[in-house]
Every structure is written in C-alpha cells, then in structure tokens.
Amino acid sequence: AVDDTVRLARLDINFGNIFHRQDRFSEALDCYQRAYSQLAPDKDAEGIIAALHNVAVCLIALNENERAQETYENVRKFAQKQDMPLAVAQADYNIASLYFFRGEYGRAIEILRAACNASLQTGDVYHAALCLLDLSEIYLQLNLNQDAADLAGEAFQRFEELGTGYEAAKALTHSAIALSQQRKNFQALMLFAQARAMFVKEKNHVWPALIDLYEAFAHFNDGRAAESRRYCAAALDFFRNSALPGRAVLCRLLLARLSLNAGDVSSASQECGLAFRDLEKREAPVLLYQAHLVMGRIEETIGNLEEAEKHYCVAKDVLERLRGGIRGEELKISFLENRIEVYENLAGLYLSKALMPNALQEAWHCMELAKSRNLLEMIVRSSSHPHLHTPGKNALTPYALKLREQLNWYYHRIDAEQTMRFPARNERLLRLRDQAGQSEKEFLRFMREIPSDEAEAAGLEPVKPASLESVRESLCPATTLIEYFRVQDSILATVITRDNLEIVPVTSASQVIETLRMLQLQFSLFRLSPEHVKDFVELLLPATKARLSDLYTQLIAPIRNKLQGKYLLVVPHESLHCVPFHALFDGENYLIDSYAISYAPSASIYVQCRQKQAKQAGHSLVLGVADPQAPHIDEELRSVAALLPEAKLFVGSQASEKVLQEYGAGSQLVHIATHGFFRQDRPMFSGIRLGDTFLTLYDLYRLKLPVEHITISGCSTGMNAVAAGDEIIGLIRGLLFAGARSLLLSLWDVNDGTTADLMRSFYGHYLNRKNRALALQDAMKELRVRYPHPYYWAPFMLVGNAAA
C-alpha cells in the first residue's frame, strides 16, 4: 500500500539521520536514496524533498560537491513542479552556499539575493535571514564592509525576532567585524561583548575565543597594544590545542606584529617562526601571505635585506595567485583593500639597495604591480582574447578552473566545519585536510604543465604589467614619463625616458593632500553665481597660483632638471589623480608653457592605449544635450561639428544611447557635450546625460568604441574615486575599456562658455597638427590670454595615447 511505502521511506530517513549524526555518511546516503526511490515520483512531495535534501547534505560531507549541486537543483525543479515556493527558495539558498564554498562569490551573491527575496515572499523569515547572514560573510571576505554591516544588522534583527540565539550572535559578530575594519572600534567592541555573552548562553566555546581574536585586532588597529596582546593571548590559549590551527596562526602573527612594534625583534621572530611551523603541510594562502609579509618586516628591521626580499617576494606571489582566483571587477578591487603593503615594502627595499644592478627597475616593477591592475586586465582580455567566448576552445583550462573550485570547496568546508554550532570531530577534519592536500598536488601539477598563454587567457594567471623595455618603446620621441608612487608617507617620482630610469623621493603624501584640499577649495568658489564670481575672480588668482606653486615645489621641482623633450606623460598615484599637473606654477610659468602634458592610469595601460587598433579615418560623431545651467552647449556642438571631418551631429533628444551604439564604433572621433556627474558615494554610477537616458560606467562597459579619440566636455567627467590597488573608478575606466585610444575629460566643474572656446581651439589645432597633446597645449595658452584664472583654461586633461 502507498501508506506503508511512505512509512517505510520515513523510517529510512530516520535511520539515515542516525547514521549522519555518527559521521557514517555513506550508510546515511544509502538510506536517503532508498527513501527517495520509494517515494518517487509523487507519493509524498514533502518526503521527496526531505530525502533529496539529505542526500545533498551527505554528498557535501563526502566532498562530492558537483553531485550535491545537481541534487539541490533536482530539489528545486521538483519543488517548482509541485508549486512549493518555500522549498524552491531553500534549495536556492543551498545552491548559493555551494557556489560560495567554491569561491564563485559573484554567482553566490546573485543567487543569495534572489533566494532572500523569494524566502520573504513565501514567509520563510529564517531562510531569508540566513541568506543575509551569508551575504554579510561574503562581503566581509571581500572588504565590502559597509554592505556587510548593513546585511548583518538586518539578519540580526530577524534572528532576534525568531529567537534563534546562535544565528543572531553570528550576525552580531559580523556587524562588529565590519565596524572594526572601518576603524569604528568603540562600537565594534560593544557588539563583540554582546555577541560573546550570547554565544556563552548558547554553550558554544569556539566563538567566544574567535571574538577574543577579533577584539585583539580591533585594539591593535586602535593603537592599544597592551589590550590587544591580552585578548590575543587568551585566544591563543584556546586555539593552540584546538582543531582550528589557522586561528592559532593568526594569533601568533598578531603577537609577532605587536612585538615588532614594541622593538622586541626576538619575540616577533619566535612567534612568526611558530606560525610557519603551524602552516607546514597546510594550504592556507591568505595566512601564508601574512606570515611572509610579517617575517619580511622582521628581517628588514634587523638589516637582513636579502632574507626580507625573499619573504616579500613569496608574499607578493601568493597575493597575485589569490587575486587571480577572484572573478568580478568590484570583488577584485575590494579584495586588495589592506593588502597593498607588500608592494610598498618591496619598492622601498629595492630603493635601499639602489646601487645594486636592476634595483631601480625592480622597484618600478613593484609600483606597476600595485596600479590599476584590474583595469589593465579588463582592457587586455577584452581586446586580446576573443576566442575565450567561442565554445570548444581551450579544453585544458576548464579542468584547471574545476581544480581551483575544488580547492576553494575544501578550504571553506574545513573552516565551516570548525566554526559551526557543534564543531566537527577531529577525524573528519583530518580527512578533509588530507583530501585538500591531494587536490593541491593535482592543481600544482596541472599548473606546471598548462601552456602559459592558455593559463593567462583563462584568467588562471594575472595579466602581467608591461616591461620597462616595452614602456620605453611605446614612448613617443622627446617624451618623459613621470610615475608617482607612495611608500608609507613618502611620495616617489620615477622618471623614465627612452634611455634612462631614475627614482627620486619628492615630498610627503600628507603635505600634498593638505595643499590639494586648499586648491580644491579655491576652485569650489566658482560654483557661486556668475555675478559673484565676476566680482572676486581677480582676487582669487594670486591665492590659486600660490597653491599651484606649492604643488609644483612638492612634485615637480625636485625632478625638473631630469625632464627631457617637449612631452610629459604623468602617471599619478592615489590623491595625485586629482592634481592638474599641467597647471602647476613655478613662480613665473605654468608647466603647460614648457611641455605638452598627458596622463595615464599606469604605464602599462599607456602601452595598451598605444597598441590599440582604432579608426584612423572616417566620420566623426558629435552629440550632446544642453540644459539651463549650460546654455552654450548647442553653440559648442555646432562649431565642433563644423570643424570635424564628416561629422554626424545629434542634439537634444536625438543624442541617444542608440545613436552612440550605432555610430560610435565606426567613428574616428567622438565628441559629447553634456552634463556629467560624479558620484563620490557610488562612483560606479558616475555618468553623463544623453537625450534619452543617463549613461553610467556600467553602461559604458557594454559599448564598443574602438575610436581614435573621445572628448566629453561636461563637468567633472575626468573625476575618479581611487579604490584599493590605485584603481580609478569613473568615466576614464569605462571609456578605456570600451576601446578609446585617448580621452579629453574635465577635472572639475567647467564653465560652458569658455569650454566652447577651448574646444574650438583644440580641434582647430588638432586638425592642423594631428597631435592632440600639442593641440591642447596651444588651446590652453590661447584661452589663458582672455581668462587668466586656471579654473577657466586648465580643467581638461588628456588621457592615453595623446601625443599622436
């Protein structure tokens, strides 16, 4: 009878549950599969879902993650067919967790978001809160701390209402970690104390010790060494003999940092050595990176520069591999937050050995490694590897990706098993580590054998920055490249010509930031009404010149005698991306009087701009939208269209995204005159106004614009936020990715009347000389005769392949 079959299947499920609690997963799996076969296809929908769910849980325990995912997907299909939305949402949650375990953060985030919404719609508040909790954990790992705090706070509120203490305490801990990473340590410590009390109430022993470690880091970041050491020692007492050796390593590395900061090098070296001992035969790349970084600092402190270099190089290589394993632009950028120190330390170390062969070249190479790498990879891969989108190509690389996902799976499994409500038995953890070790060996063997071009094309190896030789070859004759870099508070200037390389300390970062702040305050006064500006513009000029002179003294004067030729290519760093180098003032002349000046996010990206294929002939595209705040845009558009060859002009509502898509790719030159906006809070949503929409950075990623040159003559179109890894996030990023070889954009809010004059002059000179850098130099000089204040003549910057 059907009832007897259902009862027998339920009995099998119960037997399976008993086997599962005893870690007898194969036997449990047999019971669950037998129960499923008895209930299929439709004897008991809830029983079928329970059986399949338990099958997947056993497969996870047996590390058969692909079969587990397939099983959860079958649960989802069955639940959809039975119109059981709650079960669908729960299956989605489990599928997302598998993606997270494999390190596919972007896919996990996408599914968790959808699963959370679906759970809320079906009234499953618990699973919705679990989705939020997992999202906060992913964001914490990627340093998206404000998002993590918001999600954890929402999860905590829901768990509190449900009365689930363990989950609520985890959510509260995530909130505290996010606050600590934002240096809001007082609020973080309050939440840590509250979470600890909740875990103690839940009779959980692992999480209070974890919180001790988190609090130790919070005190360390706040400069309270004694409190940090006390909490760290308490955490180490628990973890040194626990099944969580990774946490013990973190404790020792923090103790090493504390000892090093206190001048106790011997104790620092001892703790770091013990951390290395605990890391033996264990693949924990993030910990390995930190251990080598700390040991490098210790060796450098005692003067063992060769040993310091070895440790820093290992740390750098590990970081490069970690970074290469992350998919998604924002995730890669945020991952590098707080992890750039190794490049700074290596650059500083090489400079201290400047008399040794290749020391300067190695220092410069480290600087390039720390600059706009993600943008470089986006540009290179979009232009160099069209075959990646073709099915059937590169049969080897999918296997490497699968191996990497398998490794991520093991690492997350080990971590999850150690920190769950009832931690796994030591035997299970040892078995997991052995299996992870076998996968590591297989992955390393495969990576030694895979051709390097296939590995790079598949994203298994990061795109390497340009060599010094290729940068020199790309420089136009009579060009000097100045590349800036910050090491701690010191700003270095690397001066590169076709036959020379020098690196010079020029100033302090704190000094430049203060001067730049005062300069930006001067420019902000021009946002007042034209009547007010007219009254005081002459009074502002001396004060603005003084600030520009200060920046000249700090950034250019120490290297002025090293600048050769008539072209300067400036590669800024961090806050220097906001400096108008062409307007720096030496007391008598502006820098633009002596040099035609252009910019690049990095030397490697400049090389890519030089190598890009673009339209050298054909029509020009001119489009834009006037508004009451910029009434001269129509005049600018028509005058520019009259100058440019075969110009196609679209104004107002006709200046649409569709027009840009249709005519942009086939254009030689593109000129867009419209209102631009820069979002400091969310720079990826910076953009420009078109006739039918607002075009953001995300939209630019979808466009193909392999053109010789693009001008966007609106306000602040060249402004950027500077994220981790010196990644500039603004329109420059999107336009270079879309394919443009050079850009003309604004650094601040422009006056539309003088902008129209500047554009006419720029294009007039360009059509005569076929050199954008010289054309902009001439246009700025001409406009300055009538409008002496730099606000009017100096807002625009050339980016990319400008001297052509």
Side-chain angles (χ1 to χ4, degrees), residues 6 21 53 77 107 195 204 206 306 437 468 523 544 567 653 716 718 751:
V6 171
R21 291 192 191 98
H53 173 85
K77 290 175 185 175
R107 187 79 178 107
N204 184 288
V206 174
E306 297 299 327
L468 181 61
F523 286 138
T544 302
Y567 298 106
S653 60
S716 306
N751 177 285

Side-chain angles (χ1 to χ4, degrees), residues 523 580 582-583 714-717 719 746-750 790-792 794-796:
F523 286 138
H582 51 279
C715 293
S716 306
T717 54
M719 286 186 66
S746 60
L747 277 167
W748 55 78
D749 293 345
V750 299
Y791 168 79
Y792 295 108
F796 285 92

Side-chain angles (χ1 to χ4, degrees), residues 5 20 22 59 82 114 118 152 269 288 327 349 415 470 494 564 575 617 654 694 696 699 741 750:
T5 302
H20 186 274
Q22 296 174 343
L59 290 171
Q82 299 293 321
S269 182
L288 196 64
R327 297 288 178 271
L349 185 67
D415 195 59
S470 63
T494 302
Q564 303 174 15
S575 61
Q654 292 184 328
F694 285 89
T696 70
D699 299 317
R741 295 188 80 196
V750 299

